[in-house]
Amino acid sequence: MSDSITLAMTGASGAIYGVRLLEQLLLAGKTVHFLLSTPARLVIKMELSISLPSRASDLKKQLVEKYSAKAEQLYVYGLEQWTAPVASGSAISRAMVICPCTSGTMASIAHGMSRNLIERAADVSLKERKQLILVHRETPLSPIHMQNMLTLSQAGAIILPASPAFYNQPQTIQDVTDTVVARILDHLNIEHQLLPRWGENAQ
């Protein structure tokens, strides 16, 4: 099976997690199919002061240059691009991550809405029994949120809240971010050096 990963970013706070994950996937030499919602683009600008173009081809060019990646490593699609490979059950991606994932996106996936390419790609991942990781970023949670999480978990998705760890005594925002990104990479079975594993520094 292909080792390519589909990464989607939606408009929840926590854009830094998705941006850092994209960087790490490209550094690991993975092929990434990238989807970005309009709210996600706005949040990225607001939280990270990064302006991203709306046209897929322009966004790909900017990201390839930013991360010194190979052009064939990154594929960027518009949310109405229904001919994109990730919209089909024959898609070659072995896993999909939505990071960060809004409660609205989670609800749509839980109910099979498939109203845009992110929701459709997630629906495909579930029906084809491929790995789907949802990095939810919301607090507190209502019973509706929790019911949608249960529905998705029962369907095979991994609910991975953006819940940072502090046992490694992170010193910077990136250190905190990496505690979440490392967990995502672990679930994708992708090697990384973002932080020591629990017990590695034990004497």
Side-chain angles (χ1 to χ4, degrees):
M1 183 178 290
S2 168
D3 200 29
S4 64
I5 305 294
T6 298
L7 171 60
M9 293 182 63
T10 61
S13 181
I16 191 171
Y17 294 114
V19 170
R20 181 66 164 160
L21 179 58
L22 174 61
E23 175 193 61
Q24 290 300 304
L25 291 173
L26 293 173
L27 287 175
K30 306 303 176 184
T31 298
V32 180
H33 299 266
F34 189 56
L35 309 171
L36 184 71
S37 72
T38 298
R41 188 178 291 105
L42 296 174
V43 174
I44 289 170
K45 184 174 183 180
M46 181 172 25
E47 295 185 346
L48 303 176
S49 299
I50 298 174
S51 296
L52 296 176
S54 57
R55 183 178 300 177
S57 58
D58 293 338
L59 178 56
K60 173 176 177 173
K61 181 180 179 181
Q62 181 173 325
L63 293 174
V64 165
E65 291 177 354
K66 178 178 178 62
Y67 297 115
S68 300
K70 298 177 181 178
E72 60 270 23
Q73 269 189 275
L74 183 64
Y75 296 86
V76 180
Y77 308 107
L79 293 193
E80 304 300 322
Q81 193 173 337
W82 299 109
T83 58
V86 295
S88 170
S90 63
I92 59 175
S93 290
R94 67 171 174 86
M96 179 176 183
V97 183
I98 304 181
C99 177
C101 181
T102 63
S103 294
T105 299
M106 182 172 287
S108 295
I109 298 168
H111 292 86
M113 302 299 288
S114 293
R115 296 172 303 181
N116 59 47
L117 190 58
I118 291 176
E119 295 172 9
R120 172 57 184 170
D123 192 52
V124 165
S125 296
L126 289 177
K127 79 182 186 70
E128 297 295 328
R129 300 296 190 264
K130 294 181 180 180
Q131 192 174 30
L132 174 63
I133 300 173
L134 305 177
V135 185
H136 190 246
R137 241 295 308 161
E138 186 83 77
T139 189
L141 300 176
S142 75
I144 295 172
H145 299 145
M146 291 184 281
Q147 183 60 58
N148 287 334
M149 288 180 181
L150 177 60
T151 297
L152 288 164
S153 181
Q154 290 172 335
I158 296 171
I159 311 300
L160 197 158
S163 180
F166 294 92
Y167 56 80
N168 284 316
Q169 299 182 345
Q171 302 298 306
T172 65
I173 291 177
Q174 182 166 299
D175 290 343
V176 173
T177 301
D178 284 351
T179 67
V180 173
V181 174
R183 292 292 289 145
I184 301 169
L185 294 171
D186 285 345
H187 278 278
L188 292 172
N189 292 315
I190 295 175
E191 291 294 327
H192 63 84
Q193 303 296 323
L194 292 183
L195 74 165
R197 298 184 183 280
W198 178 259
E200 283 186 350
N201 293 330
Q203 298 298 321

